[in-house]
């Protein structure tokens, strides 16, 4: 783990450290408090080299950090509490707090297990030559559920084997096997517990957002707002092109459907009328209509003859 700085600092060294903190507090827009309690020194060195382009880590005794914070003149900086961390350190950056948190999460490094940790995901032993000679490790691998055999003087894993499932505790025996095989199953990174920016304090819970989901929500809200504005006829720089385009299309469709002889729509209007005529023709049986008309014409004389006959009969009776 990261060890605290030696406590036997001279007065001049303490003053120099406070001044170093004060300069950084003045220079950087974003100041965070890290908890270094669970971070091994080797992993810290790796992480520092990865984040040096966007952040700077400074640490010392908590009392010196608090003195620097008390003397800082930024509004609200006094709310930045080093007591939020077991072993605090400053992190300074010119990224905004959310970017800083995301970048920290992206710059984690692997670490070996000591036993007692909870597996973050399934821990698998890969297939192949372990490079370990036959001995106690052979039985330990078999006990962990791996199919193994000795070949050319070393232990070979026949098939990939999960020896610890996600959420389960890594035992001391599991840790020994993993360390022997050079497998580092843990992900270690900086723990940003609180950050200050422009007079506001952000906790890690507030900074831990799903950026992809957040972006989708923003895009969905923007699209819904745009559609509402267009449908409501709210004209502005963003909606004007869509509203004008929609109005032009409606006018064009009306001219076509009503057969208005406009130069831009005459071809479509004629085509529309022809299609409408074809649709009507397809629904009407012209042959049947013609036959029905002929039948009506042939029945009319018979009806007249029948009327004349009735008139003659009535005259005779008289």
């Amino acid at each position: 783990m990261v060890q605290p700085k030696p406590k036997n600092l001279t007065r001049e060294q303490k003053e120099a450290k406070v001044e170093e903190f004060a300069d950084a507090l003045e220079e950087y827009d974003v100041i965070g408090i890290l908890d270094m309690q669970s971070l091994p020194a080797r992993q810290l060195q790796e992480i520092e080299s990865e984040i040096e382009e966007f952040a700077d880590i400074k640490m010392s005794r908590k009392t010196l950090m608090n003195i620097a914070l008390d003397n800082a003149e930024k509004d609200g900086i006094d709310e930045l509490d080093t007591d939020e961390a077991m072993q605090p350190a400053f992190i300074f950056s010119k990224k905004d707090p959310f970017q800083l948190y995301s970048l920290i999460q992206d710059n984690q490094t692997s670490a070996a297990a000591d036993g007692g940790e909870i597996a973050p995901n399934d821990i698998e032993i890969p297939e192949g030559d372990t490079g370990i000679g036959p001995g106690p490790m052979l039985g330990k691998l078999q006990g962990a559920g791996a199919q193994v055999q000795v070949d050319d003087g070393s232990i070979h894993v026949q098939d990939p084997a999960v020896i610890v499932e996600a959420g389960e505790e890594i035992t001391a025996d599991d840790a020994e096997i993993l360390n022997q095989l050079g497998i580092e199953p843990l992900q270690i990174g900086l723990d940003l517990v609180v950050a200050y920016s422009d007079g506001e304090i952000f906790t890690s819970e507030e900074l831990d957002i799903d950026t992809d989901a957040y972006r989708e929500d923003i895009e969905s809200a923007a699209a819904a707002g745009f559609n509402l504005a267009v449908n409501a006829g709210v004209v502005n720089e963003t909606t004007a092109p869509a509203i004008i385009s929609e109005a032009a299309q409606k006018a064009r469709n009306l001219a076509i459907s009503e057969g208005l002889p406009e130069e831009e729509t005459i071809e479509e209007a004629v085509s529309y009328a022809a299609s409408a005529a074809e649709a009507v023709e397809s629904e009407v049986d012209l042959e049947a209509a013609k036959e029905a008309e002929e039948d009506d014409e042939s029945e009319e004389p018979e009806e007249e003859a029948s009327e004349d006959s009735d008139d003659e009969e009535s005259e005779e009776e008289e």
Side-chain angles (χ1 to χ4, degrees):
M1 305 300 174
V2 176
Q3 297 298 318
K5 295 290 183 181
K7 296 184 178 181
N8 56 342
L9 297 175
T10 66
R11 181 182 180 85
E12 289 76 13
Q13 288 173 324
K14 293 177 182 178
E15 290 176 350
K17 182 58 68 175
V18 171
E19 185 175 355
E20 179 186 353
F21 289 155
D23 291 341
L25 288 169
E26 180 65 28
E27 176 185 357
Y28 288 91
D29 300 323
V30 174
I31 302 101
I33 299 296
L34 301 170
D35 191 348
M36 314 297 280
Q37 179 69 18
S38 302
L39 185 63
R42 181 176 70 84
Q43 274 73 23
L44 174 59
Q45 293 176 350
E46 293 178 5
I47 291 172
E48 283 184 313
S49 66
E50 294 291 334
I51 70 171
E52 61 182 357
E53 293 184 0
F54 62 85
D56 184 23
I57 298 174
K58 297 182 184 296
M59 62 187 301
S60 185
R61 296 171 59 182
K62 183 183 292 188
T63 53
L64 301 180
M65 296 173 65
N66 287 333
I67 291 172
L69 286 171
D70 291 339
N71 294 337
E73 296 182 356
K74 289 186 174 181
D75 292 338
I77 193 69
D78 56 323
E79 297 294 327
L80 198 61
D81 191 358
T82 58
D83 289 335
E84 295 288 340
M86 294 294 294
Q87 187 178 333
F90 281 130
I91 182 169
F92 302 96
S93 179
K94 294 186 178 180
K95 299 288 187 181
D96 73 59
F98 295 94
Q99 286 180 311
L100 178 61
Y101 186 89
S102 179
L103 288 168
I104 285 174
Q105 296 302 110
D106 291 340
N107 282 275
Q108 295 190 341
T109 184
S110 60
D114 296 323
E117 302 91 347
I118 301 300
N121 43 48
D122 289 346
I123 302 176
E124 182 180 271
I125 297 175
E127 177 184 357
D129 187 358
T130 65
I132 301 173
M137 187 55 63
L138 180 63
K140 290 182 178 181
L141 285 167
Q142 290 173 331
Q147 298 295 322
V148 295
Q149 69 176 26
V150 178
D151 190 10
D152 293 333
S154 65
I155 301 172
H156 288 248
V157 178
Q158 301 302 299
D159 296 297
V162 174
I163 65 168
V164 185
E165 294 184 354
E168 292 185 351
E169 181 180 344
I170 302 172
T171 67
D173 288 340
D174 295 330
E176 182 182 359
I177 293 172
L178 296 170
N179 291 332
Q180 287 285 329
L181 297 176
I183 298 173
E184 297 182 331
L186 305 178
Q187 289 294 312
I188 300 290
L190 298 176
D191 182 10
L192 179 61
V193 294
V194 64
Y196 166 89
S197 176
D198 195 23
E200 295 188 60
I201 298 295
F202 301 90
T203 65
S204 58
E205 290 79 9
E206 293 171 326
L207 296 173
D208 186 13
I209 62 174
D210 187 334
T211 54
D212 290 336
Y214 187 77
R215 183 180 296 106
E216 290 177 1
D217 289 342
I218 294 296
E219 291 174 351
S220 177
F226 177 81
N227 291 336
L228 177 61
V230 170
N231 293 331
V234 179
V235 181
N236 55 39
E237 183 179 354
T238 303
T239 61
I243 291 175
I244 293 173
S245 176
E246 182 180 6
Q249 187 60 49
K250 287 181 177 179
R252 183 182 184 85
N253 293 340
L254 178 62
I256 292 171
S257 63
E258 296 299 323
L260 300 180
E262 297 291 335
E263 180 179 355
E264 296 181 359
T265 61
I266 188 64
E267 292 184 4
E268 289 88 344
V270 171
S271 177
Y272 177 82
S275 298
E278 289 176 0
V280 171
E281 182 179 0
S282 66
E283 295 178 1
V284 176
D285 189 344
L286 296 180
E287 291 296 331
K290 186 177 180 180
E291 291 177 358
E293 183 179 355
E294 292 176 350
D295 291 342
D296 290 341
E297 292 176 353
S298 63
E299 290 175 0
E300 287 180 0
E302 294 180 0
E303 292 178 356
E304 292 178 356
S306 176
E307 292 177 357
D308 294 341
S309 175
D310 292 340
D311 291 341
E312 290 177 357
E313 290 179 0
S314 60
E315 289 178 357
E316 290 177 358
E317 290 176 359
E318 291 177 357

